Amino acid sequence: MLIVMRPEILFPLFAPVTTLKGVGPRMAPLVQKLAGPLVRDLAFYPPNGVIQRRRATAADAVEGETAIFEVTIDRLIPPHKMGAPIKVRAFDGTGFVHLIWFAGSPRHIEGLAPAGSVRLVSGKVEKFNNEVQISHPDYILPVEKADEIPLAEPTYPATQGLGSRQIRKLCMASVALVPPLTEWQDEAWIKRQKWPDWQTALQAVHAPQNELDLQPEAPARSRLAYDELLAHQMALARRKMNRQSTPAPVIRPGEASHRLLDIFPFKLTGAQARAIEEIRHDLKSGEQMARLLQGDVGSGKTAVAAVVLADAAASGFQSALMAPTEILARQHAEKLGPMLAEAGITSILLTGRDTPAVKRKKAAAIAAGEVQVAIGTHALFQDAVEFQNLALAVIDEQHRFGVRQRQQLQDKGKSGVHLLSMSATPIPRTLELTQYGELDVSRLNEKPPGRTPVTTAVLPLVRIKEVAQRLKAAVEAGAQAYWICPLVAESEAIDLAAAEDRAEALRKFLGTEVGLAHGQMAGAEREVVMNRFAAGDLPVLVATTVVEVGVDVPNASIMVIEHADRFGLAQLHQLRGRVGRGAKASSCILLYGAGEDGGLGETATKRLEILRNTEDGFMIAEEDFRLRGGGDPLGLRQSGFPAYRFADPIKHRQLLLAAADDARIMMGRDPKLQSARGQAIQVLESLFDWRTDRPNID
Ligand code: ADP
Ligand code: MG
């Protein structure tokens, strides 16, 4: 395992901020809160604004600009009553300049601007009775000190007790400690980009001359963003390399795998076959696999999982398939159990619903190695469950589990356990690189044949009656439908009441039975309703919360979503994925609540349009991501983007892609970073130090 040591040349940057002049015990925590505990953190704390000043006269000053006047102080006018401002009248050759303070001591102000003195004063120009007025001038200095007033002054995000000006001073002091370093970027690349070297770039970032210099595309900012992204991608690449050098059992397909493939009632899609091939490549390598299998809802991830579970059994190892909910675990067990059995593989379902006695019995069977495939919920990684020789853990709907839970399951294995995570949440490439950079990714980009595309309609809520009428006709013809009521989130009780009312109204209108499933129902009770719907007993299912992920009801062909505007796009896409699973023509109706103007906002309209135009989950995620300016479309923020200082994964998307390639190539060529560029990159990595202060990357 390669660990990058911090080179001596960086020591001054890694000293605590208290080593800077003026940072004492009062200020240190404030600095730490804003920028971080180290000198480096201040150097890496870019300004977010710039004040541009110009020399002006009372006659030519423009309201709103920040200007410097050379004036003669006339006199101080004390407040004429409590709470009134302190004023100083001054003039230049062209007119009066009034300085005012709403707080402060007249004595102090008199000291700064004694009557009769000539002063440079700077501040934002206001016009009052056509005369220049400046509230709280930012500088008042004797003329000889002109160069202490910057013509372009960066401003920094500040906090109570630590103002922008103080931060600027500290940043300047830190930047002064930044040494020149050997270039770590590729020579040809940086020449093409026309970027400054790293030291110049840092100095430039802290000395913006205008708004353009603050833009993410400004050369100095781009350079540092690339440095940061490259450092991160290198760290991820290294983590991947270290993981790959963790030994793990060798798994190869065998008799049982072939039998299972024969038992499947379908032929694998090309995408499934490719994914299996990629996974098998990892499993036989003797090194630990960590792979993400991404596939849109309905793309057939379960079948891929089943094949590799069979591989593990064929190689004499145990494996586990973990699902986020009872109902999903049960569905997996019911579907896969018999097929696995037919292929000669023993499996078991382990859930939280089992009685303690049953649990003990099942755990004992797993411990004795009598069970080859354990299917279950998080109950699978309870401490009481000991595997005899777990070699592969498959996690379905992985985004619904926490990082720790995933780790716990993996820890069950005695040596490295291969990990296959499956997710239907489309992850844009940008997120994939920053969040899952150390995982290998397989994609199911092709759906099994025989699916009918889902027709999507976007309608205002006022047309709900029409929708109900159409639903009635469809139900009479034997169709099944989901009807989703939104989460208002303000009050679950209100949501629930709304859903109950809706179910009741539909019951009356349709003259049929209507099921209701919501988050507050006991799990078992909800399961009964879901199961009846799945069995075709109920024509319509009204649900408040998202219908259980991954549940498969091929006969359901209609999805109505009330207040679709209140859902995230990815969520709507997942909901829509519940239909269009059978041979029936399917439709999804997105009902939106009209805004005050009777329509839907522009962004909201665009978002729903995206959904109407494509069924490609990845495209939807990327688009949604873009429209929201990199908001949090997938609810991934908790585990989300690392806290970059210079880089913005959305605005620097191209740089991110380039840095990922750069890191990959570098790792392939010079994994120990011994070449000249490799050594420079080691310094870069230490500089950004992703290992020590970025706990949120996992
Ligand atoms: P998801 O990727 O959403 O988990 P599933 O694994 O539940 O999707 O598969 C959805 C449906 O497609 C299931 O009914 C499954 O049996 C079926 N299926 C999977 N693979 C194929 C295939 N190659 N051909 C036809 N149907 C398939
Ligand atoms: Mg699934």
Side-chain angles (χ1 to χ4, degrees):
M1 182 183 296
L2 175 67
I3 294 172
V4 175
M5 299 292 286
R6 181 178 304 146
E8 233 175 286
I9 192 169
L10 298 183
F11 286 1
L13 289 178
F14 281 81
V17 287
T18 45
T19 56
L20 293 173
K21 216 178 106 200
V23 183
R26 188 194 64 83
M27 204 188 266
L30 298 175
V31 174
Q32 172 152 0
K33 189 177 113 192
L34 285 179
L38 306 174
V39 170
R40 183 244 355 222
D41 301 326
L42 278 163
F44 285 4
Y45 191 65
N48 63 350
V50 57
I51 301 171
Q52 284 174 277
R53 297 191 171 84
R54 72 169 186 110
R55 286 277 197 146
T57 64
D60 74 1
V62 181
E63 178 139 34
E65 72 172 327
T66 303
I68 306 169
F69 300 89
E70 183 174 332
V71 293
T72 305
I73 305 297
D74 179 17
R75 65 189 185 94
L76 182 137
I77 306 157
H80 58 274
K81 60 172 200 232
M82 277 281 285
I86 307 165
K87 297 186 184 177
V88 166
R89 193 166 70 171
F91 56 89
D92 65 8
T94 68
F96 284 111
V97 174
H98 303 273
L99 312 177
I100 65 173
W101 286 263
F102 292 95
S105 99
R107 284 249 313 272
H108 174 69
I109 289 166
E110 206 147 32
L112 289 173
S117 64
V118 177
R119 288 288 181 266
L120 289 174
V121 302
S122 158
K124 194 157 180 179
V125 173
E126 297 157 32
K127 284 286 181 78
F128 193 72
N129 288 337
N130 215 24
E131 287 181 351
V132 172
Q133 176 175 300
I134 297 175
S135 312
H136 297 265
D138 46 22
Y139 289 93
I140 302 184
L141 290 170
V143 181
E144 324 69 273
K145 295 197 172 168
D147 52 3
E148 285 183 25
I149 308 181
L151 294 180
E153 181 177 333
T155 56
Y156 293 83
T159 185
Q160 183 86 42
L162 185 59
S164 170
R165 191 84 62 81
Q166 283 168 294
I167 298 168
R168 174 170 174 249
K169 262 200 197 137
L170 297 175
C171 288
M172 302 297 271
S174 309
V175 170
L177 295 171
V178 167
L181 295 168
T182 311
E183 184 58 67
W184 44 73
Q185 290 196 25
D186 178 70
E187 211 175 312
W189 156 263
I190 195 158
K191 224 183 210 154
R192 210 162 21 174
Q193 299 294 330
K194 300 199 177 67
W195 286 343
D197 66 72
W198 120 274
Q199 190 193 34
T200 311
L202 258 186
Q203 289 163 350
V205 157
H206 287 280
Q209 296 305 303
N210 49 48
E211 289 291 327
L212 271 181
D213 289 344
L214 297 171
Q215 301 307 309
E217 313 78 48
R221 290 212 170 207
S222 300
R223 192 222 140 104
L224 295 177
Y226 189 82
D227 288 342
E228 183 166 44
L229 292 165
L230 180 61
H232 186 205
Q233 291 300 316
M234 287 299 299
L236 291 173
R238 167 157 312 101
R239 202 170 336 174
K240 191 172 187 170
M241 196 174 71
N242 288 341
R243 187 245 309 153
Q244 284 167 341
S245 57
T246 307
V250 174
I251 293 175
R252 291 176 198 281
E255 200 33 51
S257 325
H258 307 313
R259 248 180 283 153
L260 184 68
L261 281 173
D262 286 342
I263 292 161
F264 278 160
F266 46 72
K267 203 172 144 300
L268 293 178
T269 64
Q272 284 171 320
R274 274 193 300 281
I276 290 170
E277 206 174 297
E278 286 164 357
I279 296 165
R280 282 180 169 168
H281 175 83
D282 294 351
L283 291 179
K284 68 167 191 225
S285 70
E287 292 168 350
Q288 190 182 351
M289 169 179 83
R291 187 171 278 279
L292 180 65
L293 177 61
Q294 270 198 43
D296 219 342
V297 281
S299 57
K301 293 183 290 296
T302 320
V304 173
V307 171
V308 294
L309 294 171
D311 286 357
S315 301
F317 295 106
Q318 287 178 302
S319 58
L321 170 61
M322 182 167 75
T325 63
E326 291 276 337
I327 187 162
L328 201 52
R330 201 169 295 275
Q331 197 175 57
H332 280 328
E334 279 164 8
K335 273 195 160 176
L336 296 183
M339 287 197 273
L340 290 171
E342 209 181 321
I345 300 165
T346 51
S347 68
I348 205 170
L349 172 69
L350 200 81
T351 79
R353 205 70 59 70
D354 294 329
T355 63
V358 170
K359 246 186 229 166
R360 266 197 305 279
K361 228 179 91 199
K362 290 182 177 174
I366 292 172
E370 289 158 19
V371 170
Q372 289 165 295
V373 178
I375 300 173
T377 57
H378 53 278
L380 272 181
F381 55 72
Q382 269 158 10
D383 287 334
V385 183
E386 284 287 345
F387 286 83
Q388 192 189 48
N389 63 354
L390 181 67
L392 167 68
V394 180
I395 302 184
D396 197 16
E397 310 285 345
Q398 63 95 26
H399 53 282
R400 310 236 345 217
F401 291 99
V403 174
R404 237 196 39 199
Q405 289 173 306
R406 278 176 254 163
Q407 192 58 49
Q408 259 177 326
L409 185 75
Q410 222 178 332
D411 288 345
K412 285 277 169 218
K414 293 202 174 84
S415 59
V417 170
H418 298 289
L419 180 69
L420 178 65
S421 294
M422 307 200 291
S423 178
T425 305
I427 300 170
R429 181 95 179 112
T430 29
L431 260 184
E432 184 188 303
L433 281 174
T434 50
Q435 221 196 346
Y436 297 102
E438 88 259 34
L439 297 187
D440 294 301
V441 179
S442 295
R443 284 190 173 177
L444 297 183
N445 51 5
E446 173 188 353
K447 287 203 177 171
R451 301 288 163 83
T452 47
V454 180
T455 312
T456 302
V458 180
L459 294 174
L461 206 49
V462 289
R463 289 175 62 183
I464 193 165
K465 190 87 185 191
E466 244 172 87
V467 174
Q469 257 148 8
R470 274 198 274 165
L471 180 63
K472 187 166 186 199
V475 164
E476 277 163 7
Q480 279 186 283
Y482 292 98
W483 187 295
I484 310 293
C485 292
L487 276 174
V488 188
E490 282 152 27
S491 151
E492 248 183 283
I494 294 177
D495 288 348
L496 198 52
E500 273 165 355
D501 287 352
R502 178 64 67 224
E504 190 48 45
L506 284 172
R507 236 168 251 143
K508 282 214 187 92
F509 186 83
L510 303 173
T512 61
E513 230 188 314
V514 170
L516 176 64
H518 57 78
Q520 282 178 333
M521 276 164 112
E525 200 187 336
R526 194 167 64 218
E527 236 168 80
V528 170
V529 179
M530 296 285 303
N531 284 340
R532 283 192 63 203
F533 184 68
D537 276 359
L538 288 171
V540 178
L541 179 71
V542 173
T544 53
T545 43
V546 176
V547 189
E548 295 285 354
V549 279
V551 173
D552 203 26
V553 185
N555 189 50
S557 60
I558 300 168
M559 168 68 67
V560 181
I561 304 175
E562 271 189 60
H563 277 295
D565 43 305
R566 293 182 187 167
F567 289 93
L569 266 198
Q571 213 178 353
L572 289 173
H573 174 67
Q574 299 259 333
L575 283 171
R576 180 172 60 181
R578 303 294 114 217
V579 295
R581 296 185 156 222
K584 274 207 181 97
S586 297
S587 53
C588 173
I589 296 129
L590 305 173
L591 292 169
Y592 63 85
E596 275 161 24
D597 58 352
L600 196 57
E602 196 187 338
T603 312
T605 312
K606 270 200 197 131
R607 291 178 60 230
L608 294 184
E609 272 304 300
I610 294 171
L611 214 60
R612 220 167 60 89
N613 292 336
T614 178
E615 278 194 68
D616 180 333
F618 294 108
M619 193 126 100
I620 290 170
E622 287 273 2
E623 281 294 301
D624 195 24
F625 205 50
R626 218 174 40 76
L627 269 183
R628 297 208 200 178
D632 192 19
L634 311 173
L636 292 168
R637 186 61 84 185
Q638 308 104 325
S639 53
F641 277 132
Y644 289 125
R645 303 159 202 263
F646 298 111
D648 176 333
I650 308 301
K651 296 192 176 120
H652 293 128
R653 185 172 194 272
Q654 293 308 322
L655 295 185
L656 170 61
L657 300 178
D661 278 346
D662 201 355
R664 196 171 37 77
I665 292 167
M666 197 63 206
M667 264 332 208
R669 246 187 232 155
D670 181 17
K672 297 210 161 122
L673 300 179
Q674 283 164 332
S675 63
R677 183 172 182 221
Q679 288 178 22
I681 285 182
Q682 290 193 35
V683 176
L684 168 71
E685 278 196 61
S686 315
L687 258 180
F688 282 93
D689 209 348
W690 287 97
R691 289 161 306 144
T692 55
D693 63 347
R694 284 293 182 278
N696 62 343
I697 294 187
D698 292 295

